[in-house]
Amino acid sequence: LSLPAALPIFLVLARRDFARIWADDVHFLVSAAGSRGDAGRRSPHGAWIPAAIGAGFIALVATGALPAVIAAGLAAVGMVLTRCITAGDAREAVDVKVIVAIGASISLGTAIARTGIADAIGRVVADHAPGRGAALASIFACTMLFSLVVNSKASTTLFFPVALATARQLDTDPRPFALALAFAASFAFLSPVGYQTNMMVAGPGNYRFVDFLKLGTPVTTAVGATCVALLLWGAGCAAAMEPVMESLP
């Protein structure tokens, strides 16, 4: 059976028995089965217990009562104890590859900072960029392009010391550079391998690499320019408010 090429293709998250029931139907193609638990299962207590645990986690971290790591661990244990998820689902949700990638990136980022590579790159950016806005845009563009070939977490970890070094060379607030780094690592619109969701739709949608370039380039340009402009505006507002805040009793 051949289907018209113009028909839309939908990516569906279904129950575990979906593949068994619809295995002989040519209209469905199972890309992964049972790798992340039962999509149809619900907590026996409804949604209020997960919501309460999530709110408690945010409150503990926001108030500084507990470090984020400890609060997250308590929240995870609470989810299992209240049977919102099973222990097996909790184990399956841990992506070992991502953890290893983050750990390796942290080590490499630390080496970049301690060996002076970050300061050297930051000095080059500060010397050749005509102003803080251009330096911010440079860090944004480099991080975004690097995240197209590796995952966003690794690119953030690697470029963080570079962003701080650039801000230090310009003698300016490092917070806009850190935010630009975080945003840029999430803007993976130019490549099918930049983010997991891109890969999920690339195969079923029969998208080519050039399709991501055609659609992703204008979106990336618009989002990037808006992000840099808002960060510069926010930094200017914060600098203007500093004397007012210091004058308050």
Side-chain angles (χ1 to χ4, degrees):
L1 177 63
S2 61
L3 298 177
L7 286 180
I9 298 177
F10 297 96
L11 187 64
V12 180
L13 178 63
R15 296 176 181 269
R16 286 182 175 177
D17 56 357
F18 182 89
R20 176 180 55 82
I21 297 174
W22 298 97
D24 298 328
D25 195 302
V26 296
H27 297 93
F28 296 100
L29 175 64
V30 179
S31 59
S35 60
R36 283 292 181 264
D38 191 346
R41 183 172 60 244
R42 294 292 183 268
S43 168
H45 310 292
W48 69 271
I49 285 187
I53 293 176
F57 164 74
I58 295 174
L60 290 174
V61 176
T63 58
L66 287 176
V69 175
I70 297 178
L74 292 177
V77 172
M79 290 287 188
V80 175
L81 293 180
T82 55
R83 295 193 299 166
C84 295
I85 60 173
T86 65
D89 287 340
R91 286 193 298 270
E92 290 181 1
V94 178
D95 195 332
V96 179
K97 294 181 180 179
V98 173
I99 294 177
V100 172
I102 294 175
S105 301
I106 291 175
S107 301
L108 186 56
T110 302
I112 290 175
R114 291 185 177 179
T115 56
I117 297 177
D119 289 330
I121 298 176
R123 194 177 304 111
V124 171
V125 174
D127 291 341
H128 292 80
R132 183 178 61 174
L136 194 64
S138 300
I139 293 296
F140 186 95
C142 291
T143 306
M144 182 194 64
L145 293 175
F146 195 76
S147 66
L148 299 180
V149 293
V150 299
N151 64 71
S152 59
K153 303 174 184 63
S155 60
T156 303
T157 307
L158 289 175
F159 275 91
F160 184 72
V162 176
L164 291 184
T166 303
R168 188 165 53 248
Q169 293 291 332
L170 294 172
D171 193 23
T172 187
D173 187 359
R175 288 175 294 183
F177 288 85
L179 289 173
L181 189 74
F183 288 131
S186 303
F187 295 153
F189 305 132
L190 296 175
S191 167
V193 299
Y195 202 70
Q196 294 93 325
T197 50
N198 294 11
M199 299 183 66
M200 289 172 63
V201 300
N206 197 26
Y207 294 119
R208 299 168 299 169
F209 192 92
V210 68
D211 295 327
F212 282 87
L213 289 178
K214 290 179 179 178
L215 297 176
T217 299
V219 173
T220 301
T221 303
V223 172
T226 303
C227 181
V228 172
L230 288 176
L231 287 174
L232 289 173
W233 175 78
C237 292
M241 288 297 296
E242 279 187 7
V244 178
M245 299 301 295
E246 292 177 356
S247 64
L248 295 177

